[in-house]
Amino acid sequence: MWLCPWPQGPKSLLSACKGTKSVAQIHALMILTGIFSNGDSNSQLIASYSRTGDVESARKVFEKSSQRGIATWNAMIIAYSRKDSPVEVLNLYRRMIREGIRPDSSTFTVTIKACASLLDLKTGEEVRSQAVDFGYKDDVFVGSSFLNLYVKCGKMDEAMAVFDGMPKRDIVSWTTMVTGYVNGNRAIEAVNIYRRMQIEEIKADGIVMVGLIQACASLGNSKMGLSIHGYIIRRDLPVDVVVETSLVDMYAKNGLLELASRVFDKMPYRNVVSWSALISGFAQNGFAGDALELLVQMQSCRVKPDLVSLVSALLACSQVGFLKLGKSIHGYIVRRLDFDTVSGTAVIDMYSKCGSLSTAHFLFDRISSRDSISWNAMIASYGIHGCGKEALALFLQMKETKIKPDHATLASLLSAFSHSGLVEEGRYWFDLMVREFKIQPSEKHYACIVDLLARAGQVEEAHKLIESMVNKPGVAIWAALLAGCRNHGKLEIGEIAAKKVLELKPDDPGIYALVSNFFAAAKKWDEVAGVRKVMKKIGMKKVPGYSVVEVNGKLHAFLMEDKSHPQHEKIVAMLERLDYEMRAMGYLPKTEFVLHDIEEEVKERMLCNHSERLTIAFGLLNTGPGTKLLITKNLRVCGDCHEATKFISKIVNREIIVRDMKRFHHFKNGVCSCGDYW
DNA sequence: ATAGGGTTAG
């Protein structure tokens, strides 16, 4: 017997030296001291290399081993599984079978997992039947990984059959079903599975809660989300960064940003995913400034932005027209990350919403693989710029590809027609969407087509279309009809629409303004007063209108009646001067856009305090002659501001581009690109 | 002892 300097042999060496010496050093020591590895110590060594992420060295040890036992094979297979190399896992598994080695439960489990990650249902089923042959039919590990194979391949009904047939199930099997339903957009069924799990008195853990929290996020059920959060706290379930991040995301998706931030602030450790979840939450809910601030904070916490966080930041840039930052994010993505389908689509959306439609198209042509969302984004871009013909051309181009137009594509197309007044095209493609594309028109599609017809004055036809709807029309549809009736003086149908709108009790003050306008135009003063009563009773959502302009690479935001700005005096003086000149040129304030019950003169002054008006004045004051201005507004630009901006563009001889929540208005030389059709 | 279930985006 040779003398071993470590009485317990190489096994204890590996565990004792963890952290102090590298695995390679220990490996070298083992060779030097003449410890000739047997099968068992090789499996330990392979596992150790695998833990440090060094599969190449693990593989060398594996290949040099003379007699390889099941432990050695498993260690090597698991090493590849950890490295996310499912193909290698399968190769080794096949080699193992060829060499007549008897796999065990772990071998099958890992191999089926590899098939799941390759979405290779056929091979997975083969491996599972081999597992059955070797006596692992009722093994929970094999069973759960087999379950997961169906789940990952989107076969939830087959998964359910497997699940119901399992004699033994544990928390992992249940969790697989829960997350499977969540990912398959069947959140209710996910919750039901969890209920069944509770009845069977299986103890929940953090991972299954992640699935449930995601279900609440996708259902938009904040009440259930809160109660699950409470349950986790009461039961003192173990929470880690993943559980906390899913809570942040759930609250954010439900618009509860204070709660999302509170959870986020309390997290002991945050990774890039946690940051991205919150950034995305702010961006999705329209808080562009907060989203971008978080992006900066994240970097000062030494967390590098990744594609996901930057895609969310791009969304924030799009919202407020922050072209300068958007461009620099685009550059960073190209240089350091990956201009792929998702980030590419976010970038083209940013350029188009920041006014650079041609850059958007240029980059659209350079996305190497485009999917339906990329096409939709580009079609929608032409739509918001009022280029209906170009949107149609792109749609026809899309039809030549393998990518199928979906409900969103048609919605973008119809909305492009409605922004361009292309009534015939709208009718034609609306009709064809059912017949050719087999897409049932949704509320959104109806809203587009009603809007298109009503704007063109064809309110009778629009009304007939609404009456033909199978589902009950929502507020958006009646409001679109009503707007058409107001503009074209169609009192009879207008009254029907107005009544419907009031019945549906929207929480949008803009819509009540429309109803009130309509009745005022019809000189029905009792009804005008009635609208105000309804408004007071319901209590409006207070979405403050704000406008933003980028000046010298910095954003400047103005709220309605914003007096806080340091340049306020100058801005007011500017607007007064413009007002004087505008009136001389024939401008008349459209006071019907002010809903309050006040004197005309006060109304006129309020119009001048609209955020877009203040923003334009600020932009004019702080940029050189001839500079184009891009103003973005979170709500819709009001009719009076639209009229005024036409005059302003002529007086100061500037191009003024205003983008509101719906579309672009390009003002130049006294006219707007939308031809007052918007 | 090892193995199966989990977070963010256009």
Side-chain angles (χ1 to χ4, degrees), chain A residues 209 212-213 216 223-233 247:
Chain A
M209 294 326 255
L212 276 186
I213 294 163
C216 300
K223 231 176 135 186
M224 187 160 88
L226 277 160
S227 81
I228 288 167
H229 191 179
Y231 180 85
I232 292 172
I233 295 168
L247 282 169

Side-chain angles (χ1 to χ4, degrees), chain A residues 207-462:
Chain A
I207 301 182
V208 74
M209 294 326 255
V210 169
L212 276 186
I213 294 163
Q214 285 179 296
C216 300
S218 85
L219 289 170
N221 189 338
S222 58
K223 231 176 135 186
M224 187 160 88
L226 277 160
S227 81
I228 288 167
H229 191 179
Y231 180 85
I232 292 172
I233 295 168
R234 278 198 309 281
R235 294 291 165 105
D236 207 23
L237 294 181
V239 285
D240 61 7
V241 60
V242 179
V243 177
E244 289 173 317
T245 301
S246 64
L247 282 169
V248 169
D249 177 60
M250 182 273 293
Y251 284 129
K253 286 213 167 85
N254 277 294
L256 302 171
L257 292 161
E258 312 79 18
L259 281 173
S261 306
R262 208 186 300 166
V263 175
F264 181 84
D265 289 339
K266 278 192 190 160
M267 286 171 73
Y269 166 80
R270 310 175 187 99
N271 58 23
V272 66
V273 182
S274 331
W275 284 97
S276 302
L278 194 59
I279 292 174
S280 150
F282 274 108
Q284 303 276 5
N285 285 287
F287 298 95
D290 302 75
L292 296 176
E293 211 169 281
L294 274 166
L295 184 75
V296 174
Q297 263 184 49
M298 170 173 103
Q299 283 162 289
S300 61
C301 291
R302 293 209 192 97
V303 177
K304 270 198 185 160
D306 64 354
L307 270 186
V308 180
S309 42
L310 292 179
V311 162
S312 298
L314 281 171
L315 179 65
C317 293
S318 306
Q319 281 174 17
V320 292
F322 203 165
L323 181 61
K324 173 138 179 178
L325 182 62
K327 264 185 183 166
S328 91
I329 292 175
H330 171 210
Y332 185 89
I333 287 174
V334 170
R335 281 194 314 275
R336 312 280 288 272
L337 299 164
D338 188 13
F339 186 79
D340 64 7
T341 311
V342 175
S343 61
T345 304
V347 168
I348 66 161
D349 179 70
M350 182 278 295
Y351 278 110
S352 92
K353 293 215 172 101
C354 291
S356 306
L357 185 57
S358 54
T359 310
H361 199 148
F362 177 85
L363 292 168
F364 174 74
D365 287 337
R366 278 155 189 80
I367 296 179
S368 50
S369 89
R370 289 179 287 259
D371 64 7
S372 67
I373 304 179
S374 332
W375 281 96
N376 295 351
M378 198 62 234
I379 292 170
S381 294
Y382 279 112
I384 60 171
H385 282 270
C387 309
K389 289 253 171 14
E390 289 81 354
L392 178 58
L394 209 60
F395 176 79
L396 295 174
Q397 208 183 315
M398 178 184 182
K399 262 168 47 101
E400 302 302 309
T401 70
K402 277 183 192 155
I403 297 147
K404 292 252 174 301
D406 58 14
H407 62 281
T409 319
L410 267 302
S412 302
L413 185 68
L414 293 177
S415 142
F417 291 150
S418 119
H419 288 153
S420 314
L422 297 173
V423 183
E424 277 319 305
E425 285 83 348
R427 245 195 226 115
Y428 179 80
W429 290 101
F430 181 76
D431 183 45
L432 225 61
M433 70 184 278
V434 187
R435 289 198 286 122
E436 187 182 332
F437 304 105
K438 312 276 175 251
I439 299 167
Q440 282 309 312
S442 71
E443 166 105 21
K444 241 187 162 175
H445 299 112
Y446 276 106
C448 286
I449 202 78
V450 167
D451 184 72
L452 180 56
L453 292 170
R455 272 180 207 291
Q458 308 185 14
V459 290
E460 291 82 6
E461 189 183 343

Side-chain angles (χ1 to χ4, degrees), chain A residues 83-193:
Chain A
K83 261 276 159 180
D84 224 19
S85 315
V87 176
E88 287 299 332
V89 170
L90 277 173
N91 285 341
L92 269 185
Y93 170 78
R94 293 201 176 102
R95 186 169 145 199
M96 199 174 159
I97 299 288
R98 272 201 310 278
E99 294 187 18
I101 310 290
R102 196 189 154 84
D104 68 3
S105 158
S106 357
T107 324
F108 290 120
T109 303
V110 175
T111 309
I112 294 170
K113 181 190 170 150
C115 297
S117 85
L118 292 170
L119 303 179
D120 186 346
L121 198 59
K122 206 169 147 271
T123 312
E125 281 172 333
E126 278 165 28
V127 177
R128 141 84 185 185
S129 84
Q130 283 154 346
V132 173
D133 294 343
F134 280 97
Y136 294 108
K137 182 173 168 291
D138 296 337
D139 185 282
V140 239
F141 280 79
V142 175
S144 297
S145 61
F146 186 50
L147 194 60
N148 190 234
L149 175 72
Y150 283 117
V151 164
K152 288 280 142 70
C153 293
K155 309 229 175 255
M156 277 318 289
D157 299 338
E158 287 84 342
M160 194 62 195
V162 172
F163 181 76
D164 280 334
M166 284 169 76
K168 263 194 270 169
R169 293 185 287 240
D170 63 6
I171 181 70
V172 176
S173 338
W174 287 96
T175 308
T176 306
M177 291 305 292
V178 170
T179 53
Y181 278 126
V182 171
N183 293 329
N185 253 322
R186 293 161 71 169
I188 306 240
E189 281 150 289
V191 176
N192 289 339
I193 285 279

Side-chain angles (χ1 to χ4, degrees), chain A residues 48-69:
Chain A
S48 298
Y49 272 126
S50 161
R51 271 192 289 273
T52 65
D54 186 1
V55 261
E56 289 77 20
S57 302
R59 182 67 185 242
K60 276 181 197 145
V61 175
F62 176 82
E63 294 300 345
K64 273 191 200 156
S65 309
S66 42
Q67 339 96 294
R68 286 181 283 250

Side-chain angles (χ1 to χ4, degrees), chain A residues 18-31:
Chain A
K18 235 184 256 166
T20 53
K21 287 193 170 68
S22 74
V23 182
Q25 280 176 304
I26 297 156
H27 190 187
L29 276 171
M30 285 168 65
I31 295 165

